[in-house]
Amino acid sequence: MFICICQAIREREIDAAVQAGARRPVDVFRACGKSPQCGSCACDIRERIAQTMTREQGPALLAAE
């Protein structure tokens, strides 16, 4: 699903950017080789970053316990 309509950035591209180290919307744009346009997607990108980080950290947290 598209998260940023202006730059055609999909959920899977955000996920890949987070896996590569992106932690802020601007990091995601850079990882995708694009730049922010209208900014209306910033909240949705932040939410997706948080979801992706939570999914990635889940197994690690369980293993540490």
Side-chain angles (χ1 to χ4, degrees), residues 22-54:
R23 296 296 178 260
R24 302 174 299 159
V26 69
D27 300 331
V28 171
F29 282 104
R30 285 186 189 134
C32 294
K34 300 177 181 181
S35 57
Q37 191 166 346
C38 76
S40 66
C41 61
C43 290
D44 292 331
I45 292 176
R46 279 189 202 96
E47 184 177 321
R48 185 66 183 195
I49 290 169
Q51 290 171 351
T52 303
M53 289 177 65
T54 300

